[in-house]
Amino acid sequence: MTPPFADELNLRLCHRCKYACSLDRDRHRCSRCNALLHRRKPDAIARTWALLLAAFVFYVPANVLPILRTTALQHDSTTTILGSVVDLWQDGAWDIAVIIFVASVVVPVAKFLILAFLLVTVQRRSRGSCRERTQLYRGLELIGYWSMLDVFVVGLLAALVQFGVLGDIEPRLGILFFGLVVVLTMMATLTFDSRLIWDAVKDER
Amino acid sequence: MSDDDVNKTEQSPPPAEPEVRERRWHLPLVWIVPLVAVIVGLSMMVRAWQQSGPVIEITFETAEGLKPNQTPVQYRNVVIGNVTGVSLGEARQQVVATVELSKEADAFTREDTRFWVVRPRIGATGISGLGTLFSGDFIAADPGNSSGHAERFEGLESPPPITYGEPGKRFQLQAEDLGSLTIGSPVYYRSVQVGQVVSYQLDKQGNGVNVEVFVSEPHDRFVSGNTRFWNTSGLDLDLGVDGVQVHMQSLVSLVTGGIAFGTPLVNSLDTMGAEEDSRFRLFDDRGTALAPEKGEPERIRMRFAQSLRGLEEGAPVDFQGKNIGEVSRITLDYDESDQTFPVVVDAIMYPKLMGRAYDKFQQSQQSQESQNNGPKPSQSAIRELFETLVGRGLRAEARTANLLTGKLFIALEFYPDADKTNIRRHAQTMVIPTRTTSLDRIQAQLTTLVDRISKIPIESISANLDGSLRDIRQTLTQMNDDVLPASLATLEGIDKLTLAMGEALGSAAEALGEDSPQREQLQQALTEVERMSRSVRSLSDYFRRHPEALIRGRQERQNRDDLRP
């Protein structure tokens, strides 16, 4: 026997202050912070899809375009994300290679896949393993900003390595797209409403 | 966002109307985000496609220094493309570098465009490409002039010494041996570098090497049809009859070889610049290159009865001090009649090197021929000349050219006192009679001198001398014993006499002393005499002027003026 839903108790959660408003008192605004009340996040699925797709589109140039330009003693080289991973691996720094690979490839791809999976299951009103899907979503929220690691690394390097003729590191367009990917996936995660996962259960009831 | 426009009244009683108003058709604004993303992505793709230039493939021997996406293609240090891939060729004999050129680098797809990898290398013209030590290797390009375009190119293994469009001329040199020349070896004119070796290849028959040199503008006009090229490779240490001569063009040519050219002053009528791709002979050294034209060679042979140590093949043959040929072969012969080993020296002589003498002789010969109505070949004319010369005492002689090195040379000199001989002829060679070297003759004279000295009877001479000395000693002892005492007594007598004389002289000196009365009297007497003579003189003067005074006596004041001088 599952516990009752908020709807059934005529309650609605304020998105801003998380106050459980009683619809009996005020149907539109939070009685505590006066924010508009929604049953679910508005247009959650469409917005998440949109942001996810945008992130996916940006993920292509983020990987194709170089993220860094290293100038060391006139030796010019540009690095893409995957290229740097391969280089680091070949240079023997496999630990750093793994970190960068996880942060910049595994995590974003995982986010795409998980979000897409959640969206699809919600739209199909699947009822199975709701708990696990919710856990997936929580995990998604948790790891989201770790993808910014790359952006931070590039930013730090570009700021620190400015030795003129001896060596110079400049960020390249790729990192901008990568940052956009991270931001967009995080936004997509935020716009997704995890309660939608359970709605199918309610409908069944 | 669709339900933003709810009523704005606060705490108003809830309307009884529907809970949420929804538009029937609505496109969430959020879809703008992926739309923008797609537009951005598409625009980037379009831009990349617009910027992408031709893709070409260049084959190299090795992919050393070529890294995909890192190795640029440069022209005058401007990046015009990038290596996008490096792979093995079909037969694994080569590597193929795929190069993406930028859009404006269209000229670099011309058929005769050349590509090469710039690496640090120590080349003919010094060290090049040092910058690539830090920047990494890159592919350099030299756009061609051809109208056709290609997609596959053969990369050069070394940078081309001359890039297209450089003004100047190419010349073909034929050398017997390449020496230490390489591509890029410098070409000098008066020790100024004016060009370099562009390429070389063996003759088709393998008889020589064809060297192609490039002389840049404006120095190419110094190459005329008369110009001689010679090899200045390395250090030219010439231990000839003139002593040690060291020729060196520059340190670069010491390492990489080099070519120099010059134009001999004589007969320099052809001073116009030579045509492109003109053919020249590459001489081995400056001396042979700038030597005047030799003309027809003439073989001569000489038989020497002496050792010719120091005579080498190539030693000069002098005629009256002028070099007119060189020794070509030295062999040993055996003379059965007197069982000796004469040295046979073959030499090549260039009569033309005799210069004006030869010309004059030929002219006289020609005039003779015109009289005889029978033209003779010039070779027999030369022989005739030498016949007459030998008849007048021309002899060959091996002389020391350099006492330090002991080198010999052959001198043709006149010895009018020499025995009369005739020139002998051997098929193609003239046999010129020889004479023993003056030095050898001195040697012989010295030997006879030493012989004579050794014949002198030194022992008997010394015995005689000994006896004479003994006699002398005897005579001396006699003198000591007898003659000396007598002479002593004589000397004593002389001593006494001297004393007496000294006394006499002392009294005489006393008489003539400074304050002696005798001296004073003498002085007075002398003064008297002086006065007397003066008056006598005036008297005589008076009488000369007035001879009548002898009769009339002296007349006062009559002619006073006469007395004035």
Side-chain angles (χ1 to χ4, degrees), chain B residues 335-355:
Chain B
D335 196 341
E336 279 182 37
S337 59
D338 52 357
Q339 297 196 335
T340 53
F341 294 91
V343 184
V344 177
V345 177
D346 286 311
I348 293 171
M349 190 177 67
Y350 302 97
K352 212 173 173 185
L353 288 180
M354 288 160 79

Short mmCIF file of all heavy atoms in Angstrom, two decimals, chain B residues 335-355:
data_model
loop_
_atom_site.label_atom_id
_atom_site.label_comp_id
_atom_site.label_asym_id
_atom_site.label_seq_id
_atom_site.Cartn_x
_atom_site.Cartn_y
_atom_site.Cartn_z
N ASP B 335 120.21 -0.43 -71.19
CA ASP B 335 121.07 -0.31 -72.37
C ASP B 335 122.05 -1.47 -72.34
O ASP B 335 122.91 -1.54 -71.46
CB ASP B 335 121.79 1.04 -72.34
CG ASP B 335 122.35 1.36 -73.71
OD1 ASP B 335 122.50 0.42 -74.51
OD2 ASP B 335 122.64 2.54 -73.96
N GLU B 336 121.92 -2.36 -73.32
CA GLU B 336 122.77 -3.55 -73.28
C GLU B 336 124.22 -3.24 -73.62
O GLU B 336 125.14 -3.88 -73.13
CB GLU B 336 122.23 -4.59 -74.26
CG GLU B 336 121.08 -5.38 -73.68
CD GLU B 336 120.59 -6.43 -74.65
OE1 GLU B 336 121.43 -7.02 -75.36
OE2 GLU B 336 119.36 -6.64 -74.70
N SER B 337 124.39 -2.24 -74.49
CA SER B 337 125.74 -1.98 -74.98
C SER B 337 126.69 -1.60 -73.84
O SER B 337 127.77 -2.14 -73.74
CB SER B 337 125.70 -0.88 -76.03
OG SER B 337 125.15 0.28 -75.45
N ASP B 338 126.25 -0.71 -72.97
CA ASP B 338 127.14 -0.35 -71.87
C ASP B 338 126.55 -0.72 -70.51
O ASP B 338 127.05 -0.28 -69.49
CB ASP B 338 127.50 1.13 -71.92
CG ASP B 338 126.27 2.01 -72.02
OD1 ASP B 338 125.17 1.42 -72.11
OD2 ASP B 338 126.39 3.24 -72.02
N GLN B 339 125.55 -1.55 -70.55
CA GLN B 339 124.95 -2.10 -69.31
C GLN B 339 124.61 -1.00 -68.31
O GLN B 339 125.01 -1.04 -67.15
CB GLN B 339 125.89 -3.12 -68.69
CG GLN B 339 126.12 -4.29 -69.61
CD GLN B 339 126.71 -5.47 -68.91
OE1 GLN B 339 127.38 -5.29 -67.88
NE2 GLN B 339 126.47 -6.65 -69.43
N THR B 340 123.86 0.01 -68.77
CA THR B 340 123.42 1.06 -67.88
C THR B 340 121.89 1.10 -67.88
O THR B 340 121.24 0.45 -68.71
CB THR B 340 123.96 2.44 -68.31
OG1 THR B 340 123.60 2.61 -69.67
CG2 THR B 340 125.44 2.53 -68.12
N PHE B 341 121.40 1.86 -66.96
CA PHE B 341 119.94 1.99 -66.85
C PHE B 341 119.55 3.43 -67.11
O PHE B 341 119.41 4.22 -66.17
CB PHE B 341 119.47 1.56 -65.46
CG PHE B 341 119.67 0.11 -65.20
CD1 PHE B 341 120.84 -0.35 -64.61
CD2 PHE B 341 118.68 -0.80 -65.55
CE1 PHE B 341 121.03 -1.70 -64.37
CE2 PHE B 341 118.88 -2.14 -65.30
CZ PHE B 341 120.04 -2.60 -64.72
N PRO B 342 119.39 3.80 -68.35
CA PRO B 342 118.95 5.19 -68.59
C PRO B 342 117.47 5.36 -68.23
O PRO B 342 116.68 4.41 -68.32
CB PRO B 342 119.18 5.37 -70.09
CG PRO B 342 119.16 4.00 -70.65
CD PRO B 342 119.59 3.05 -69.59
N VAL B 343 117.16 6.56 -67.80
CA VAL B 343 115.77 6.88 -67.47
C VAL B 343 115.14 7.52 -68.69
O VAL B 343 115.67 8.49 -69.23
CB VAL B 343 115.68 7.83 -66.27
CG1 VAL B 343 114.24 8.06 -65.88
CG2 VAL B 343 116.47 7.28 -65.10
N VAL B 344 114.03 6.95 -69.11
CA VAL B 344 113.34 7.50 -70.27
C VAL B 344 112.18 8.36 -69.77
O VAL B 344 111.31 7.87 -69.04
CB VAL B 344 112.83 6.39 -71.19
CG1 VAL B 344 112.05 6.98 -72.35
CG2 VAL B 344 113.99 5.57 -71.69
N VAL B 345 112.19 9.59 -70.15
CA VAL B 345 111.14 10.51 -69.70
C VAL B 345 110.30 10.89 -70.91
O VAL B 345 110.81 11.44 -71.88
CB VAL B 345 111.73 11.77 -69.05
CG1 VAL B 345 110.63 12.75 -68.67
CG2 VAL B 345 112.56 11.40 -67.84
N ASP B 346 109.01 10.58 -70.84
CA ASP B 346 108.10 11.02 -71.88
C ASP B 346 107.40 12.28 -71.40
O ASP B 346 107.02 12.38 -70.24
CB ASP B 346 107.05 9.94 -72.15
CG ASP B 346 107.65 8.80 -72.93
OD1 ASP B 346 108.32 9.08 -73.94
OD2 ASP B 346 107.48 7.64 -72.51
N ALA B 347 107.24 13.19 -72.29
CA ALA B 347 106.58 14.44 -71.91
C ALA B 347 105.65 14.88 -73.02
O ALA B 347 105.83 14.52 -74.18
CB ALA B 347 107.60 15.52 -71.61
N ILE B 348 104.65 15.62 -72.60
CA ILE B 348 103.74 16.22 -73.58
C ILE B 348 104.04 17.71 -73.62
O ILE B 348 104.14 18.36 -72.57
CB ILE B 348 102.28 15.96 -73.19
CG1 ILE B 348 101.99 14.48 -73.31
CG2 ILE B 348 101.35 16.75 -74.09
CD1 ILE B 348 100.66 14.09 -72.75
N MET B 349 104.20 18.20 -74.81
CA MET B 349 104.59 19.58 -74.96
C MET B 349 103.50 20.29 -75.77
O MET B 349 102.94 19.73 -76.70
CB MET B 349 105.91 19.62 -75.71
CG MET B 349 106.57 20.96 -75.74
SD MET B 349 108.12 20.78 -76.58
CE MET B 349 107.57 20.41 -78.22
N TYR B 350 103.20 21.48 -75.35
CA TYR B 350 102.22 22.28 -76.08
C TYR B 350 102.95 23.44 -76.72
O TYR B 350 103.18 24.46 -76.06
CB TYR B 350 101.12 22.77 -75.15
CG TYR B 350 100.40 21.64 -74.44
CD1 TYR B 350 100.75 21.27 -73.15
CD2 TYR B 350 99.37 20.95 -75.06
CE1 TYR B 350 100.11 20.24 -72.50
CE2 TYR B 350 98.73 19.92 -74.42
CZ TYR B 350 99.09 19.57 -73.14
OH TYR B 350 98.46 18.55 -72.51
N PRO B 351 103.29 23.31 -77.98
CA PRO B 351 104.10 24.36 -78.61
C PRO B 351 103.40 25.71 -78.57
O PRO B 351 104.04 26.75 -78.54
CB PRO B 351 104.27 23.87 -80.04
CG PRO B 351 103.98 22.42 -80.00
CD PRO B 351 103.02 22.21 -78.91
N LYS B 352 102.09 25.68 -78.51
CA LYS B 352 101.36 26.95 -78.53
C LYS B 352 101.65 27.77 -77.28
O LYS B 352 101.50 28.98 -77.27
CB LYS B 352 99.86 26.66 -78.62
CG LYS B 352 99.13 27.74 -79.40
CD LYS B 352 97.70 27.38 -79.63
CE LYS B 352 96.97 28.55 -80.25
NZ LYS B 352 95.55 28.28 -80.38
N LEU B 353 102.04 27.07 -76.22
CA LEU B 353 102.35 27.79 -74.99
C LEU B 353 103.60 28.64 -75.13
O LEU B 353 103.87 29.47 -74.27
CB LEU B 353 102.53 26.79 -73.84
CG LEU B 353 101.26 26.12 -73.36
CD1 LEU B 353 101.58 25.17 -72.23
CD2 LEU B 353 100.26 27.16 -72.89
N MET B 354 104.34 28.40 -76.20
CA MET B 354 105.52 29.24 -76.41
C MET B 354 105.11 30.64 -76.83
O MET B 354 105.91 31.56 -76.87
CB MET B 354 106.42 28.63 -77.48
CG MET B 354 107.13 27.39 -76.97
SD MET B 354 107.72 26.33 -78.29
CE MET B 354 109.16 27.18 -78.80
N GLY B 355 103.85 30.79 -77.12
CA GLY B 355 103.31 32.12 -77.35
C GLY B 355 103.76 32.72 -78.66
O GLY B 355 103.69 32.10 -79.72
#
